[in-house]
Amino acid sequence: YQRRVHGYTCRLVRVLYGHQNQVTSAMYTANGTKVLSTSADATVKVWGPTGQVVKSWGTWENGWYRQVVPVGRQLVTVGDDRNVKVWDLEGNQLHTWSGHTNWVLAVCALNPTTVVTAGDDRTVRIWSL
């Protein structure tokens, strides 16, 4: 598949299959060697450079993950359980931050030590790692 957009030629490089429900976010790691994704199937996946799943974690008991963002050597996820979770790349949960009173819809990293989240509770929260 190839398409011309605003003078640039765009082409599809790879399709990653493995989630069992809608994919809610996807992002490269800081070094560009892996892709991170979250899904309504309640999983977080780390994909290798050839499109294989190298790590996957998550369960339905906590709802589903809406977004993931790399922060330094860690990952931060947000989702339906109202929490902000910090993980290592192996899927080990390092921290849980509570405070949102409804779903957490978005997360972004300002720098390697600061994360901003947005919730269905109409709040934006700034967190320090």
Side-chain angles (χ1 to χ4, degrees):
Y1 176 79
Q2 211 166 303
R3 185 171 184 192
R4 193 138 175 92
V5 179
H6 300 291
Y8 295 96
T9 300
C10 303
R11 68 181 179 86
L12 178 64
V13 175
R14 179 169 285 118
V15 178
L16 306 177
Y17 295 99
H19 283 292
Q20 302 302 309
N21 207 326
Q22 76 184 69
V23 177
T24 55
S25 75
M27 180 172 286
Y28 276 108
T29 55
N31 63 9
T33 61
K34 294 182 177 72
V35 171
L36 311 170
S37 63
T38 57
S39 171
D41 67 8
T43 63
V44 177
K45 292 192 184 303
V46 180
W47 306 81
T50 60
Q52 79 283 12
V53 175
V54 295
K55 201 56 140 171
S56 180
W57 67 89
T59 64
W60 271 107
E61 60 196 45
N62 295 324
W64 51 285
Y65 297 103
R66 292 188 176 269
Q67 200 168 30
V68 61
V69 64
V71 183
R73 294 177 175 256
Q74 300 167 337
L75 308 176
V76 176
T77 60
V78 297
D80 289 0
D81 67 354
R82 304 176 183 175
N83 292 313
V84 179
K85 295 180 180 173
V86 182
W87 310 82
D88 66 18
L89 283 171
E90 295 301 311
N92 300 305
Q93 189 174 329
L94 306 174
H95 306 287
T96 298
W97 301 327
S98 300
H100 282 283
T101 59
N102 210 332
W103 298 344
V104 188
L105 303 173
V107 60
C108 71
L110 291 177
N111 56 50
T113 61
T114 308
V115 172
V116 177
T117 59
D120 195 49
D121 59 2
R122 295 180 270 170
T123 65
V124 174
R125 296 173 188 256
I126 301 170
W127 309 85
S128 176
L129 286 171

